[in-house]
Coordinates of all heavy atoms in Angstrom, one line a residue:
M1 N -53.8 33.3 12.6 CA -53.5 31.9 12.4 C -52.0 31.8 12.3 O -51.4 32.6 11.6 CB -54.1 31.5 11.2 CG -54.2 30.0 10.9 SD -54.7 29.6 9.2 CE -56.3 30.1 9.1
S2 N -51.4 30.8 13.0 CA -50.0 30.6 13.0 C -49.6 30.1 11.6 O -50.4 29.5 10.8 CB -49.6 29.7 14.0 OG -50.0 28.3 13.6
V3 N -48.4 30.1 11.2 CA -47.8 29.7 10.0 C -48.1 28.1 9.9 O -48.4 27.6 8.9 CB -46.4 30.0 9.8 CG1 -45.8 29.3 8.5 CG2 -46.1 31.5 9.8
L4 N -47.8 27.5 11.1 CA -48.0 25.9 10.9 C -49.4 25.5 10.7 O -49.7 24.6 10.0 CB -47.6 25.4 12.3 CG -46.3 24.5 12.2 CD1 -45.7 24.2 13.6 CD2 -46.7 23.1 11.5
S5 N -50.3 26.2 11.4 CA -51.7 25.9 11.1 C -52.2 26.2 9.7 O -53.0 25.6 9.1 CB -52.7 26.4 12.3 OG -52.7 27.7 12.1
W6 N -51.5 27.3 9.3 CA -51.8 27.7 7.9 C -51.4 26.6 6.9 O -52.1 26.2 5.9 CB -51.2 29.1 7.6 CG -51.6 29.6 6.2 CD1 -52.6 30.3 5.8 CD2 -50.7 29.4 5.0 NE1 -52.5 30.6 4.5 CE2 -51.4 30.0 4.0 CE3 -49.6 28.7 4.7 CZ2 -50.9 30.1 2.7 CZ3 -49.0 28.9 3.4 CH2 -49.7 29.4 2.5
I7 N -50.1 26.1 7.0 CA -49.7 25.0 6.1 C -50.5 23.8 6.3 O -50.9 23.2 5.3 CB -48.2 24.8 6.6 CG1 -47.2 25.9 6.2 CG2 -47.7 23.5 5.9 CD1 -46.0 25.7 6.7
R8 N -51.0 23.5 7.5 CA -51.8 22.3 7.6 C -53.1 22.5 7.0 O -53.6 21.6 6.4 CB -52.1 22.1 9.3 CG -52.3 20.7 9.5 CD -52.3 20.5 11.0 NE -51.2 20.8 11.7 CZ -51.2 21.6 12.9 NH1 -52.3 21.9 13.5 NH2 -50.1 21.9 13.6
R9 N -53.7 23.7 7.1 CA -55.0 24.0 6.4 C -54.8 23.8 4.9 O -55.6 23.2 4.2 CB -55.4 25.4 6.6 CG -55.9 25.8 7.9 CD -57.1 25.1 8.4 NE -58.5 25.6 8.1 CZ -59.5 24.9 8.5 NH1 -59.4 23.9 9.3 NH2 -60.6 25.4 8.3
R10 N -53.7 24.4 4.4 CA -53.4 24.3 2.9 C -53.2 22.9 2.5 O -53.8 22.5 1.3 CB -52.2 25.1 2.7 CG -52.4 26.5 2.1 CD -51.3 26.9 1.1 NE -51.7 26.8 -0.3 CZ -52.4 27.7 -0.9 NH1 -52.9 28.7 -0.4 NH2 -52.7 27.5 -2.2
R11 N -52.6 22.1 3.3 CA -52.5 20.7 2.9 C -53.7 20.1 2.9 O -54.0 19.2 2.0 CB -51.5 20.1 3.9 CG -50.8 18.9 3.2 CD -49.7 18.2 4.2 NE -48.5 19.2 4.3 CZ -47.7 19.3 5.3 NH1 -48.0 18.6 6.5 NH2 -46.7 20.0 5.3
M12 N -54.7 20.2 3.8 CA -56.0 19.7 3.8 C -56.8 20.2 2.6 O -57.5 19.3 2.0 CB -56.7 20.1 5.1 CG -56.4 19.3 6.3 SD -57.2 20.1 7.8 CE -58.9 19.7 7.5
A13 N -56.6 21.4 2.3 CA -57.4 22.0 1.2 C -57.0 21.3 -0.1 O -57.8 21.1 -1.0 CB -57.2 23.5 1.1
M14 N -55.8 20.8 -0.3 CA -55.4 20.2 -1.5 C -55.8 18.8 -1.7 O -55.6 18.2 -2.7 CB -53.7 20.3 -1.5 CG -53.2 21.7 -1.7 SD -54.0 22.6 -3.1 CE -54.0 24.2 -2.6
Q15 N -56.4 18.3 -0.5 CA -56.7 16.9 -0.7 C -58.0 16.7 -1.5 O -58.3 15.6 -1.9 CB -56.9 16.3 0.6 CG -55.6 16.0 1.4 CD -55.9 15.3 2.7 OE1 -56.6 14.5 2.8 NE2 -55.1 15.8 3.7
M16 N -58.6 17.7 -1.8 CA -60.0 17.7 -2.7 C -59.7 18.6 -3.9 O -59.2 19.7 -3.7 CB -61.1 17.9 -1.9 CG -61.6 16.8 -0.8 SD -63.0 17.2 0.0 CE -64.3 16.7 -1.3
S17 N -60.2 18.1 -5.1 CA -60.1 18.9 -6.2 C -61.3 19.7 -6.2 O -62.4 19.5 -5.5 CB -60.2 18.2 -7.4 OG -61.3 17.5 -7.7
C18 N -61.4 20.8 -7.1 CA -62.6 21.6 -7.1 C -63.9 20.9 -7.5 O -64.9 21.1 -6.9 CB -62.3 22.8 -8.2 SG -61.1 24.0 -7.6
A19 N -63.6 19.9 -8.5 CA -64.8 19.1 -8.9 C -65.3 18.2 -7.8 O -66.6 18.1 -7.7 CB -64.4 18.3 -10.1
E20 N -64.4 17.7 -7.0 CA -64.8 16.9 -5.9 C -65.6 17.7 -4.9 O -66.6 17.3 -4.3 CB -63.7 16.2 -5.1 CG -63.1 15.1 -5.9 CD -61.8 14.6 -5.4 OE1 -61.0 15.5 -4.7 OE2 -61.4 13.5 -5.6
V21 N -65.1 18.9 -4.6 CA -65.8 19.8 -3.6 C -67.2 20.2 -4.2 O -68.2 20.2 -3.5 CB -64.9 21.1 -3.4 CG1 -65.7 22.2 -2.6 CG2 -63.7 20.8 -2.6
G22 N -67.2 20.5 -5.5 CA -68.4 20.9 -6.2 C -69.5 19.8 -5.8 O -70.7 20.1 -5.8
A23 N -69.0 18.5 -6.2 CA -70.0 17.5 -6.0 C -70.6 17.2 -4.7 O -71.7 16.7 -4.6 CB -69.2 16.2 -6.4
V24 N -69.9 17.8 -3.7 CA -70.5 17.4 -2.2 C -70.8 18.7 -1.6 O -71.2 18.8 -0.4 CB -69.4 16.7 -1.3 CG1 -69.3 15.4 -1.9 CG2 -68.1 17.4 -1.2
L25 N -70.8 19.8 -2.3 CA -71.1 21.1 -1.8 C -72.4 21.2 -1.1 O -72.6 21.8 0.0 CB -70.9 22.2 -2.7 CG -70.8 23.6 -2.3 CD1 -69.7 23.8 -1.4 CD2 -70.5 24.5 -3.5
Q26 N -73.5 20.7 -1.8 CA -74.8 20.9 -1.2 C -74.9 20.0 0.1 O -75.5 20.6 1.0 CB -75.8 20.3 -2.2 CG -75.9 21.0 -3.5 CD -76.7 22.3 -3.4 OE1 -77.4 22.5 -2.3 NE2 -76.6 23.2 -4.3
Q27 N -74.3 18.9 0.0 CA -74.4 18.1 1.3 C -73.6 18.7 2.5 O -74.0 18.8 3.5 CB -73.7 16.7 1.0 CG -74.6 15.7 0.3 CD -73.8 14.6 -0.4 OE1 -73.2 14.9 -1.5 NE2 -73.6 13.5 0.3
Y28 N -72.6 19.3 2.0 CA -71.7 20.1 3.0 C -72.6 21.3 3.8 O -72.6 21.4 4.9 CB -70.4 20.7 2.4 CG -69.8 21.7 3.4 CD1 -69.0 21.2 4.4 CD2 -69.8 23.1 3.1 CE1 -68.3 22.0 5.3 CE2 -69.0 24.0 4.0 CZ -68.3 23.4 5.1 OH -67.6 24.3 6.0
L29 N -73.3 22.0 2.9 CA -74.0 23.1 3.5 C -75.2 22.6 4.3 O -75.8 23.2 5.1 CB -74.6 24.0 2.3 CG -73.3 24.7 1.6 CD1 -74.0 25.5 0.4 CD2 -72.8 25.8 2.5
D30 N -75.6 21.4 3.9 CA -76.9 20.8 4.6 C -76.4 20.0 5.8 O -77.1 19.3 6.5 CB -77.6 19.9 3.7 CG -78.4 20.6 2.7 OD1 -78.7 21.8 3.0 OD2 -78.8 20.1 1.7
D31 N -75.0 20.1 6.2 CA -74.4 19.2 7.3 C -74.6 17.8 7.2 O -74.8 17.1 8.2 CB -75.2 19.8 8.6 CG -74.3 20.9 9.3 OD1 -73.1 20.9 9.1 OD2 -74.9 21.8 9.9
E32 N -74.5 17.3 5.9 CA -74.7 15.8 5.8 C -73.5 15.2 5.6 O -73.5 13.9 5.3 CB -75.8 15.6 4.5 CG -77.2 16.0 5.0 CD -78.0 16.0 3.8 OE1 -77.5 15.8 2.6 OE2 -79.2 16.3 3.9
L33 N -72.3 15.8 5.5 CA -71.2 15.2 5.3 C -70.5 14.5 6.5 O -70.7 15.0 7.7 CB -70.0 16.1 4.8 CG -70.2 16.6 3.4 CD1 -69.1 17.5 2.8 CD2 -70.2 15.3 2.3
D34 N -69.7 13.4 6.4 CA -69.1 12.8 7.5 C -68.0 13.7 8.1 O -67.5 14.6 7.5 CB -68.7 11.4 7.1 CG -67.7 11.5 6.0 OD1 -66.5 11.8 6.2 OD2 -68.0 11.3 4.9
D35 N -67.5 13.3 9.3 CA -66.7 14.0 9.9 C -65.1 14.2 9.4 O -64.3 14.9 9.6 CB -66.4 13.5 11.5 CG -67.7 13.7 12.2 OD1 -68.5 14.5 11.8 OD2 -67.9 13.2 13.4
E36 N -65.0 13.3 8.5 CA -63.7 13.2 7.8 C -63.7 14.2 6.5 O -62.7 14.9 6.3 CB -63.3 11.9 7.3 CG -62.5 11.1 8.3 CD -62.4 9.6 7.8 OE1 -62.0 9.4 6.8 OE2 -62.4 8.8 8.7
T37 N -64.8 14.1 5.8 CA -64.9 14.9 4.6 C -65.2 16.4 4.8 O -64.6 17.2 4.2 CB -66.0 14.4 3.7 OG1 -65.8 12.9 3.5 CG2 -65.7 14.9 2.3
A38 N -66.1 16.7 5.7 CA -66.4 18.1 6.1 C -65.3 19.0 6.4 O -65.2 20.1 5.8 CB -67.4 18.1 7.2
P39 N -64.3 18.6 7.1 CA -63.2 19.5 7.4 C -62.3 19.8 6.2 O -61.7 20.8 6.0 CB -62.3 18.9 8.5 CG -63.2 17.8 9.1 CD -64.3 17.4 8.0
L40 N -62.3 18.8 5.3 CA -61.6 18.9 4.0 C -62.2 19.9 3.2 O -61.5 20.8 2.5 CB -61.4 17.6 3.4 CG -60.5 16.5 4.0 CD1 -60.6 15.2 3.2 CD2 -59.2 17.0 4.3
V41 N -63.5 19.8 3.0 CA -64.3 20.7 2.1 C -64.2 22.1 2.8 O -63.8 23.1 2.1 CB -65.8 20.3 2.1 CG1 -66.6 21.5 1.5 CG2 -65.9 19.1 1.5
E42 N -64.3 22.2 4.1 CA -64.2 23.5 4.7 C -62.8 24.2 4.4 O -62.7 25.3 4.1 CB -64.3 23.3 6.3 CG -64.5 24.6 7.0 CD -64.5 24.4 8.6 OE1 -65.5 23.7 9.0 OE2 -63.7 24.9 9.3
A43 N -61.7 23.3 4.6 CA -60.4 23.9 4.3 C -60.2 24.4 2.8 O -59.7 25.4 2.6 CB -59.3 22.8 4.7
H44 N -60.9 23.6 1.9 CA -60.7 24.0 0.5 C -61.4 25.3 0.3 O -60.9 26.1 -0.5 CB -61.3 22.8 -0.3 CG -61.2 23.0 -1.7 ND1 -60.2 22.4 -2.6 CD2 -61.9 23.9 -2.6 CE1 -60.4 22.9 -3.9 NE2 -61.3 23.7 -3.8
L45 N -62.5 25.3 0.9 CA -63.3 26.7 0.6 C -62.7 27.8 1.2 O -62.8 28.9 0.6 CB -64.8 26.5 1.3 CG -65.7 25.4 0.8 CD1 -67.0 25.5 1.5 CD2 -66.0 25.7 -0.8
E46 N -62.0 27.7 2.2 CA -61.1 28.8 2.8 C -60.0 29.2 1.8 O -59.7 30.4 1.7 CB -60.5 28.5 4.1 CG -61.4 28.8 5.3 CD -60.8 28.3 6.6 OE1 -59.5 28.3 6.7 OE2 -61.6 27.8 7.4
V47 N -59.4 28.2 1.3 CA -58.3 28.4 0.4 C -58.6 28.9 -1.1 O -57.9 29.6 -1.7 CB -57.2 27.2 0.5 CG1 -56.1 27.5 -0.5 CG2 -56.7 27.0 1.8
C48 N -59.6 28.0 -1.6 CA -59.9 28.4 -3.0 C -61.1 29.3 -3.1 O -62.2 29.2 -2.7 CB -60.5 26.9 -3.5 SG -60.9 27.0 -5.2
R49 N -60.6 30.4 -3.8 CA -61.6 31.6 -3.8 C -62.8 31.2 -4.6 O -63.9 31.7 -4.2 CB -60.9 32.8 -4.4 CG -61.4 34.2 -4.2 CD -60.7 35.2 -4.8 NE -61.6 36.4 -5.0 CZ -62.3 36.5 -6.0 NH1 -62.3 35.6 -7.0 NH2 -63.2 37.5 -6.1
R50 N -62.6 30.5 -5.7 CA -63.8 30.3 -6.5 C -64.8 29.4 -5.9 O -65.9 29.5 -6.0 CB -63.1 29.6 -7.9 CG -64.1 29.9 -8.9 CD -63.5 29.7 -10.3 NE -64.5 29.6 -11.2 CZ -64.6 29.5 -12.6 NH1 -63.3 29.4 -13.0 NH2 -65.6 29.3 -13.1
C51 N -64.3 28.3 -5.3 CA -65.3 27.4 -4.7 C -65.9 28.1 -3.4 O -67.1 27.9 -3.2 CB -64.6 26.1 -4.1 SG -64.1 25.0 -5.5
G52 N -65.1 29.0 -2.8 CA -65.6 29.6 -1.7 C -66.7 30.6 -2.1 O -67.7 30.7 -1.3
L53 N -66.6 31.2 -3.1 CA -67.6 32.1 -3.8 C -68.9 31.3 -4.1 O -69.9 31.8 -3.8 CB -67.1 32.8 -5.0 CG -67.6 34.2 -5.3 CD1 -67.1 35.2 -4.3 CD2 -67.2 34.6 -6.7
E54 N -68.6 30.3 -4.6 CA -69.9 29.3 -5.0 C -70.6 28.9 -3.8 O -71.7 28.9 -3.8 CB -69.2 28.1 -5.8 CG -70.2 27.6 -6.9 CD -69.5 26.8 -7.8 OE1 -68.4 27.1 -8.3 OE2 -70.0 25.6 -8.2
A55 N -69.8 28.5 -2.7 CA -70.4 28.0 -1.6 C -71.2 29.2 -1.0 O -72.3 29.1 -0.3 CB -69.4 27.6 -0.6
A56 N -70.6 30.4 -1.0 CA -71.2 31.6 -0.3 C -72.5 31.9 -1.0 O -73.5 32.2 -0.4 CB -70.3 32.8 -0.4
T57 N -72.6 31.8 -2.3 CA -73.7 32.0 -3.1 C -74.8 30.9 -2.7 O -75.9 31.4 -2.4 CB -73.5 31.8 -4.7 OG1 -72.4 32.7 -4.9 CG2 -74.8 32.3 -5.5
Y58 N -74.5 29.7 -2.7 CA -75.4 28.6 -2.3 C -76.0 29.0 -0.8 O -77.2 28.9 -0.5 CB -74.9 27.4 -2.3 CG -74.7 26.7 -3.6 CD1 -73.5 26.1 -4.0 CD2 -75.8 26.6 -4.5 CE1 -73.4 25.5 -5.3 CE2 -75.7 26.0 -5.7 CZ -74.5 25.5 -6.0 OH -74.4 24.8 -7.3
A59 N -75.0 29.3 0.1 CA -75.4 29.5 1.4 C -76.3 30.6 1.5 O -77.4 30.6 2.4 CB -74.1 29.7 2.3
D60 N -76.1 31.8 0.8 CA -76.9 33.0 0.9 C -78.4 32.6 0.3 O -79.4 32.9 1.0 CB -76.3 33.9 0.0 CG -77.1 35.2 0.2 OD1 -77.3 35.6 1.4 OD2 -77.3 35.9 -0.7
L61 N -78.4 31.8 -0.7 CA -79.8 31.4 -1.3 C -80.6 30.6 -0.3 O -81.7 30.6 -0.2 CB -79.6 30.7 -2.6 CG -79.1 31.7 -3.7 CD1 -78.6 30.8 -5.0 CD2 -80.1 32.7 -4.2
K62 N -79.8 29.6 0.3 CA -80.4 28.7 1.2 C -80.9 29.3 2.4 O -82.1 29.1 2.8 CB -79.2 27.7 1.7 CG -79.6 26.3 1.5 CD -78.4 25.3 1.9 CE -78.4 25.1 3.4 NZ -79.4 24.1 3.8
H63 N -80.2 30.3 2.9 CA -80.6 31.2 4.1 C -81.8 32.0 3.6 O -82.7 32.0 4.4 CB -79.5 32.1 4.4 CG -79.8 33.1 5.5 ND1 -79.5 32.8 6.9 CD2 -80.3 34.2 5.4 CE1 -79.9 33.8 7.6 NE2 -80.5 34.7 6.8
A64 N -81.8 32.6 2.5 CA -82.9 33.4 2.0 C -84.2 32.6 1.8 O -85.2 32.9 2.3 CB -82.6 34.0 0.7
L65 N -84.1 31.2 1.3 CA -85.2 30.3 1.2 C -85.8 30.0 2.5 O -87.0 30.0 2.8 CB -84.9 29.2 0.3 CG -84.6 29.5 -1.1 CD1 -84.2 28.1 -1.7 CD2 -85.9 29.8 -1.7
A66 N -84.7 29.6 3.5 CA -85.2 29.2 4.8 C -86.0 30.3 5.5 O -86.8 30.0 6.3 CB -84.0 28.8 5.6
H67 N -85.5 31.6 5.4 CA -86.3 32.6 6.1 C -87.2 33.5 5.3 O -87.6 34.4 5.6 CB -85.0 33.5 6.6 CG -84.2 32.8 7.7 ND1 -83.1 32.0 7.3 CD2 -84.2 32.9 9.0 CE1 -82.6 31.5 8.4 NE2 -83.2 32.0 9.4
R68 N -87.4 32.9 4.1 CA -88.4 33.7 3.1 C -88.0 35.0 3.0 O -88.8 35.9 3.0 CB -89.8 33.5 3.6 CG -90.3 32.1 3.7 CD -91.8 32.1 4.1 NE -92.4 30.6 3.8 CZ -92.8 30.3 2.7 NH1 -92.8 31.0 1.7 NH2 -93.3 29.0 2.5
A69 N -86.7 35.2 2.9 CA -86.2 36.7 2.7 C -85.7 36.7 1.2 O -85.5 35.7 0.6 CB -85.1 36.9 3.7
E70 N -85.3 38.0 0.9 CA -84.8 38.2 -0.4 C -83.3 37.8 -0.4 O -82.5 38.3 0.5 CB -84.9 39.7 -0.8 CG -86.3 40.1 -1.2 CD -86.6 39.7 -2.6 OE1 -85.8 39.8 -3.5 OE2 -87.7 39.1 -2.8
P71 N -82.8 37.0 -1.4 CA -81.4 36.8 -1.4 C -80.7 38.1 -1.8 O -81.3 39.0 -2.4 CB -81.1 35.8 -2.7 CG -82.6 35.6 -3.3 CD -83.5 36.3 -2.5
S72 N -79.4 38.2 -1.4 CA -78.7 39.5 -1.8 C -78.5 39.6 -3.2 O -78.7 38.8 -4.1 CB -77.3 39.4 -1.2 OG -76.4 38.6 -1.9
E73 N -78.4 41.0 -3.6 CA -78.4 41.3 -5.1 C -77.2 40.6 -5.8 O -77.2 40.1 -6.9 CB -78.2 42.9 -5.2 CG -78.5 43.5 -6.3 CD -79.8 43.0 -7.1 OE1 -80.9 43.0 -6.5 OE2 -79.7 42.7 -8.2
E74 N -76.1 40.5 -4.9 CA -74.9 39.9 -5.5 C -75.2 38.4 -5.7 O -74.7 37.9 -6.8 CB -73.8 40.0 -4.3 CG -72.5 39.2 -4.7 CD -71.8 40.0 -5.9 OE1 -72.2 41.1 -6.3 OE2 -70.8 39.3 -6.4
S75 N -75.9 37.6 -5.0 CA -76.2 36.2 -5.2 C -77.0 36.1 -6.4 O -76.9 35.2 -7.2 CB -76.9 35.5 -4.0 OG -75.9 35.5 -2.9
L76 N -78.0 37.0 -6.5 CA -78.9 36.9 -7.7 C -78.1 37.1 -9.0 O -78.4 36.5 -9.9 CB -80.0 38.0 -7.5 CG -81.1 37.7 -6.6 CD1 -82.1 38.8 -6.4 CD2 -81.9 36.4 -7.0
R77 N -77.2 38.0 -8.9 CA -76.4 38.4 -10.0 C -75.6 37.1 -10.5 O -75.6 36.7 -11.6 CB -75.5 39.4 -9.8 CG -74.9 40.0 -11.0 CD -73.9 41.3 -10.7 NE -72.9 40.8 -9.8 CZ -71.8 40.0 -10.2 NH1 -71.7 39.6 -11.4 NH2 -70.9 39.6 -9.4
R78 N -75.0 36.4 -9.4 CA -74.2 35.3 -9.8 C -75.1 34.1 -10.3 O -74.6 33.3 -11.2 CB -73.5 34.9 -8.5 CG -72.1 35.6 -8.4 CD -71.3 35.0 -7.3 NE -71.0 36.0 -6.2 CZ -71.1 35.9 -5.0 NH1 -71.6 34.7 -4.4 NH2 -70.8 36.8 -4.2
L79 N -76.3 34.0 -9.7 CA -77.1 32.9 -10.1 C -77.6 33.2 -11.7 O -77.7 32.2 -12.4 CB -78.3 32.8 -9.2 CG -79.2 31.6 -9.3 CD1 -78.3 30.6 -8.7 CD2 -80.5 31.8 -8.4
R80 N -77.9 34.4 -12.0 CA -78.2 34.7 -13.4 C -77.0 34.4 -14.4 O -77.2 33.9 -15.4 CB -78.5 36.3 -13.5 CG -80.0 36.5 -13.3 CD -80.3 37.8 -13.7 NE -79.8 39.0 -13.1 CZ -80.2 39.5 -11.9 NH1 -81.4 39.3 -11.6 NH2 -79.7 40.3 -11.3
E81 N -75.8 34.5 -13.8 CA -74.6 34.2 -14.7 C -74.5 32.8 -14.9 O -74.2 32.3 -15.9 CB -73.4 34.7 -14.0 CG -73.0 36.3 -14.2 CD -71.8 36.7 -13.5 OE1 -71.1 35.9 -13.0 OE2 -71.7 38.0 -13.4
F82 N -74.7 32.1 -13.8 CA -74.7 30.5 -13.9 C -75.8 30.0 -14.9 O -75.5 29.3 -15.8 CB -75.1 29.8 -12.6 CG -74.0 29.9 -11.5 CD1 -74.3 30.0 -10.2 CD2 -72.7 29.8 -11.9 CE1 -73.4 30.0 -9.2 CE2 -71.7 30.0 -10.8 CZ -72.0 30.0 -9.6
G83 N -76.9 30.7 -14.9 CA -78.1 30.4 -15.7 C -77.8 30.7 -17.1 O -78.0 29.8 -18.1
E84 N -77.2 31.7 -17.4 CA -76.8 32.2 -18.7 C -75.7 31.4 -19.4 O -75.9 30.9 -20.5 CB -76.5 33.8 -18.9 CG -77.7 34.6 -18.9 CD -77.4 36.0 -18.6 OE1 -76.2 36.5 -18.8 OE2 -78.4 36.7 -18.0
R85 N -74.8 30.9 -18.6 CA -73.7 30.1 -19.1 C -74.3 28.8 -19.4 O -73.9 28.3 -20.6 CB -72.7 29.8 -17.9 CG -71.8 31.0 -17.7 CD -70.4 30.6 -17.4 NE -70.4 29.7 -16.2 CZ -70.0 30.0 -14.9 NH1 -69.7 31.2 -14.8 NH2 -70.2 29.1 -14.0
I86 N -75.3 28.3 -18.7 CA -75.9 27.0 -19.1 C -76.8 27.0 -20.4 O -76.6 26.3 -21.3 CB -76.7 26.4 -17.8 CG1 -75.8 26.0 -16.6 CG2 -77.6 25.3 -18.3 CD1 -76.5 25.9 -15.4
V87 N -77.5 28.1 -20.5 CA -78.4 28.4 -21.5 C -77.5 28.5 -22.9 O -77.8 28.0 -23.9 CB -79.0 29.8 -21.4 CG1 -79.7 30.2 -22.9 CG2 -80.2 29.6 -20.4
H88 N -76.2 29.1 -22.8 CA -75.4 29.1 -23.9 C -74.5 28.1 -24.1 O -73.6 28.1 -24.9 CB -74.6 30.4 -23.8 CG -75.3 31.7 -23.8 ND1 -75.5 32.6 -22.8 CD2 -76.0 32.3 -25.0 CE1 -76.4 33.6 -23.1 NE2 -76.5 33.4 -24.4
G89 N -74.7 26.9 -23.4 CA -74.0 25.7 -23.6 C -72.6 25.6 -22.9 O -72.0 24.7 -23.1
D90 N -72.4 26.8 -22.1 CA -71.1 26.8 -21.6 C -71.3 26.3 -20.1 O -71.3 27.1 -19.2 CB -70.5 28.3 -21.5 CG -69.2 28.4 -20.8 OD1 -68.6 27.3 -20.6 OD2 -68.8 29.5 -20.4
V91 N -71.4 24.9 -20.0 CA -71.8 24.4 -18.7 C -70.5 24.3 -17.8 O -69.4 24.1 -18.4 CB -72.2 23.0 -18.8 CG1 -72.6 22.2 -17.6 CG2 -73.5 22.9 -19.8
P92 N -70.6 24.8 -16.6 CA -69.4 25.0 -15.7 C -68.8 23.6 -15.6 O -69.5 22.6 -15.3 CB -70.0 25.3 -14.4 CG -71.3 26.0 -14.7 CD -71.8 25.3 -16.0
H93 N -67.6 23.5 -15.7 CA -66.8 22.2 -15.6 C -65.7 22.3 -14.6 O -65.7 23.4 -14.0 CB -66.2 21.8 -16.9 CG -65.6 22.8 -17.7 ND1 -64.3 23.4 -17.4 CD2 -66.2 23.6 -18.9 CE1 -64.1 24.3 -18.3 NE2 -65.1 24.4 -19.1
D94 N -65.0 21.4 -14.5 CA -63.8 21.4 -13.5 C -62.8 22.6 -13.8 O -62.3 22.6 -14.8 CB -63.0 20.2 -13.6 CG -62.1 20.0 -12.5 OD1 -61.9 20.9 -11.6 OD2 -61.4 18.9 -12.3
H95 N -62.8 23.6 -12.9 CA -62.0 24.7 -13.1 C -60.6 24.7 -12.3 O -60.2 25.7 -12.0 CB -62.8 26.0 -12.7 CG -63.5 25.9 -11.4 ND1 -64.7 25.6 -11.1 CD2 -62.9 25.9 -10.1 CE1 -65.1 25.6 -9.9 NE2 -64.0 25.8 -9.3
R96 N -60.3 23.5 -12.3 CA -59.0 23.3 -11.5 C -57.8 24.0 -12.2 O -57.8 23.7 -13.4 CB -58.8 21.8 -11.2 CG -57.8 21.7 -10.1 CD -57.6 20.1 -9.9 NE -56.8 19.8 -8.8 CZ -56.4 18.6 -8.5 NH1 -56.8 17.6 -9.1 NH2 -55.6 18.4 -7.4
Ligands
LIG101 ZN1 -61.8 24.9 -5.6

């Protein structure tokens, strides 16, 4: 990737906050976002490690469900962590 396109990607990524990306993540993975929002989410996921990880977890689970396969051990572990955080009242919030 050239420096210029990297800067352009970064600028796109900054147009959405983590909370905004989180709110539309499911739609993004289901290909339900419009042509303006989808590239912004995509750019954000590339740049933001945390949202990228969350997206990868969802995508993996979605894939496993669609193919009736076992989700990866890594995704299951992360899902358990999400669950435990919610049980303990530590609901994930805006981690910007
Ligand atoms: Zn983010």
Side-chain angles (χ1 to χ4, degrees):
M1 199 192 291
S2 76
V3 174
L4 240 167
S5 66
W6 182 83
I7 291 170
R8 209 175 298 139
R9 287 303 265 187
R10 258 207 102 86
R11 205 172 285 151
M12 270 172 82
M14 292 308 150
Q15 287 182 40
M16 288 184 84
S17 71
C18 291
E20 284 168 336
V21 169
V24 296
L25 194 56
Q26 294 287 343
Q27 286 157 275
Y28 171 75
L29 292 172
D30 288 337
D31 268 327
E32 285 169 2
L33 283 184
D34 56 81
D35 292 348
E36 271 176 39
T37 315
L40 295 181
V41 174
E42 194 185 296
H44 184 101
L45 294 179
E46 264 173 40
V47 173
C48 179
R49 200 178 157 273
R50 212 162 153 178
C51 287
L53 209 69
E54 213 161 312
T57 304
Y58 281 134
D60 187 44
L61 291 172
K62 234 173 87 79
H63 178 89
L65 287 174
H67 296 81
R68 295 183 170 278
E70 285 285 310
S72 75
E73 199 45 50
E74 178 66 14
S75 288
L76 284 175
R77 191 182 61 73
R78 272 187 239 135
L79 199 67
R80 269 195 296 268
E81 275 176 19
F82 287 146
E84 272 163 33
R85 282 215 308 259
I86 290 164
V87 167
H88 293 109
D90 179 18
V91 179
H93 44 73
D94 190 357
H95 48 260
R96 200 178 183 182

